[in-house]
Amino acid sequence: MSILVAREVTKRFGGLLAVSKLDFDVDQGAIVSVIGPNGAGKTTFFNCIAGFYEITSGEIDFDGQPIHKLRRDQISHLGVSRTYQNIRLFANMTAIENILVGQHHHLQSTWIGTVLGTKSVKEDERKAHDEARRLLRFVGLRGKGDMLASKLPYGDQRRLEIARALANQPRLLLLDEPTAGMNPTETLEITDQIRSLRERGITILLIEHKLNEVNEIADTVIVLDHGEKIAEGRPEEVHRNEEVLRAYLGRTAARAAP
């Protein structure tokens, strides 16, 4: 069963065609990787799914419901979370505060209860902090909850962004280059975490330039070039595709590739 369906999705910026008539399905519980050269339209398509951009034409459905005309907060509330190619944390908030922000859709407290400091509000806050600490442990940031996000090393900021996205309790998680700038050990840890998220029932759609990691974890690979889908299939099938080789290596090198 498909949890995300895109049909004829097109996004134009004036005269620039960023995404062109893109079709694909993401099955529930799958790990799907979107790859392609720089400028291929990968992040633009993520922004269309998450409601940051309004598509020019086409349709995007999440769990059977059209979402391409919804606001970002409405899409998030349905269970779609994302991370960013360029880290977007609240730099002057602590790690645990960043995660608490990600939980706001699921808090039950009213503003009146918050002002009065009712028992239900205190219980809501306790549960939120417990969940935030659990997510810190999950992404490998145990003991760093009180650190400002801006003071965390780059790799830990990447981990924190994943934790904040998970705080929304997503059913679909969009990861935009989650291992960018990480060393091999850190990359392996994130890869293992992505696998464990799938085991918990979360569907993963990720952009990744490290093709070895794509081979390790992706069920399906979708290749974009100049906003168009040029290939789709198992990782080993896609890497043998001549059009994919041409997009990455150029026409002459593609002919010479084994």
Side-chain angles (χ1 to χ4, degrees), residues 21-36:
K21 296 182 179 180
L22 185 57
D23 290 339
F24 74 74
D25 297 23
V26 176
D27 290 338
Q28 189 165 350
I31 299 177
V32 177
S33 181
V34 181
I35 67 172

Side-chain angles (χ1 to χ4, degrees), residues 24 26 30-36 42 46 175 177-178 204-211 213-224 231-233 235 238-239 248:
F24 74 74
V26 176
I31 299 177
V32 177
S33 181
V34 181
I35 67 172
K42 304 181 296 295
F46 264 36
L175 299 174
E177 298 188 37
I204 308 291
L205 183 62
L206 76 150
I207 296 171
E208 184 54 79
H209 283 293
K210 298 177 181 178
L211 297 185
E213 309 312 316
V214 172
N215 291 340
E216 285 289 324
I217 62 174
D219 302 308
T220 303
V221 177
I222 295 166
V223 188
L224 301 185
E232 180 176 1
V238 166
H239 295 326
Y248 272 99

Side-chain angles (χ1 to χ4, degrees), residues 12 16 42 55-57 59 64 81 92 95 107 111 118 121 138 140 146 148-149 151 155 206 224-225 229 231 258:
R12 290 183 179 273
L16 174 64
K42 304 181 296 295
I55 62 176
T56 305
S57 61
E59 185 170 311
S81 290
N92 293 321
L107 300 179
W111 70 269
T118 62
V121 168
F138 174 76
D146 293 330
L148 289 177
K151 301 299 183 183
L206 76 150
L224 301 185
D225 187 31
K229 182 175 74 173

Side-chain angles (χ1 to χ4, degrees), residues 3 28-30 170-172 196-204:
I3 193 170
Q28 189 165 350
R171 290 183 291 152
L172 174 65
S196 70
L197 290 174
R198 190 247 292 274
E199 293 169 0
R200 299 180 185 200
I202 299 176
T203 304
I204 308 291

Side-chain angles (χ1 to χ4, degrees), residues 3 14 37-38 60 69 90 123 133 147 167 182-183 188 217 228 239 243:
I3 193 170
N38 290 332
I60 303 173
K69 294 183 179 180
F90 297 104
E123 179 64 14
R133 284 189 286 269
M147 290 184 64
M182 290 187 170
N183 62 42
L188 182 60
I217 62 174
E228 297 183 352
H239 295 326
E243 197 166 357

Side-chain angles (χ1 to χ4, degrees), residues 168-182:
N168 185 45
Q169 301 176 22
R171 290 183 291 152
L172 174 65
L173 181 59
L174 311 177
L175 299 174
D176 196 344
E177 298 188 37
T179 66
M182 290 187 170

Side-chain angles (χ1 to χ4, degrees), residues 138-191:
F138 174 76
V139 298
L141 296 179
R142 181 194 295 268
K144 298 183 179 181
D146 293 330
M147 290 184 64
L148 289 177
S150 61
K151 301 299 183 183
L152 291 171
Y154 178 84
D156 285 351
Q157 290 186 23
R158 283 280 178 195
R159 292 186 176 93
L160 179 56
E161 200 170 44
I162 293 173
R164 186 180 62 183
L166 292 174
N168 185 45
Q169 301 176 22
R171 290 183 291 152
L172 174 65
L173 181 59
L174 311 177
L175 299 174
D176 196 344
E177 298 188 37
T179 66
M182 290 187 170
N183 62 42
T185 299
E186 293 171 328
T187 297
L188 182 60
E189 291 172 351
I190 294 296
T191 301

